[in-house]
Amino acid sequence: MTISDLSLFQTLKSKMHWHQTRQGVLAENVANADTPGYQGKDLESFSFETALKTRTTGLETTRTSARHLQASMVRESGSAKADAADGYEITPDANTVVLEEQMMKVTENQMDYQTVASLYTKGLGLIRTALSRGG
């Protein structure tokens, strides 16, 4: 079992994957901003609680103390799906994409991705530091 197999890191990986998928959906919206009748799409919000519940567990470890963390090998079992987004504005040709909204969502998505990637990197660094000082 590697460090990155811990459920915390697997969940952070899932969150980063969700952001990558959302970036693609938002890019598609921007690309179709002038397409008549195009309905803008977005992903359902990512939920850490749901992500943890949808995982399948493999090898389980035994806790010998209540203070120990429970670790398990996990695999992703779901994928993100794009749904039609509710648009606030609709053009005369029935297009629901507003470029300003999409660009704000792209920026927010990028900032959130960078935050999750930073948490992942710092978490791995903390564990490596703890393991290197213990030996």
Side-chain angles (χ1 to χ4, degrees):
M1 175 183 214
T2 63
I3 293 172
S4 63
D5 287 337
L6 296 173
S7 62
L8 170 67
F9 294 111
Q10 288 295 323
T11 305
L12 289 174
K13 281 184 191 178
S14 295
K15 176 76 170 165
M16 288 189 288
H17 183 263
W18 180 87
H19 281 296
Q20 290 172 337
T21 304
R22 185 172 190 224
Q23 194 75 8
V25 170
L26 295 174
E28 185 178 330
N29 288 346
V30 171
N32 289 294
D34 292 334
T35 304
Y38 182 80
Q39 301 292 313
K41 298 176 183 150
D42 203 350
L43 298 182
E44 290 183 18
S45 297
F46 184 86
S47 167
F48 283 102
E49 191 172 321
T50 303
L52 289 172
K53 287 180 184 176
T54 59
R55 297 193 175 282
T56 59
T57 58
L59 179 65
E60 293 290 329
T61 57
T62 303
R63 289 174 59 181
T64 56
S65 170
R67 295 181 186 158
H68 293 168
L69 295 175
Q70 182 71 28
S72 63
M73 293 182 65
V74 294
R75 294 178 291 283
E76 288 191 42
S77 63
S79 62
K81 296 180 183 176
D83 295 325
D86 294 332
Y88 295 108
E89 297 179 23
I90 299 177
T91 61
D93 62 2
N95 187 310
T96 63
V97 176
V98 178
L99 285 177
E100 291 82 8
E101 288 178 7
Q102 296 303 310
M103 297 314 291
M104 287 174 40
K105 287 179 182 180
V106 165
T107 303
E108 176 188 13
N109 192 58
Q110 179 183 5
M111 289 172 37
D112 289 347
Y113 178 86
Q114 289 172 345
T115 301
V116 174
S118 176
L119 284 171
Y120 186 89
T121 303
K122 290 187 184 285
L124 282 177
L126 285 172
I127 291 176
R128 286 187 184 129
T129 300
L131 291 175
S132 67
R133 290 185 182 174

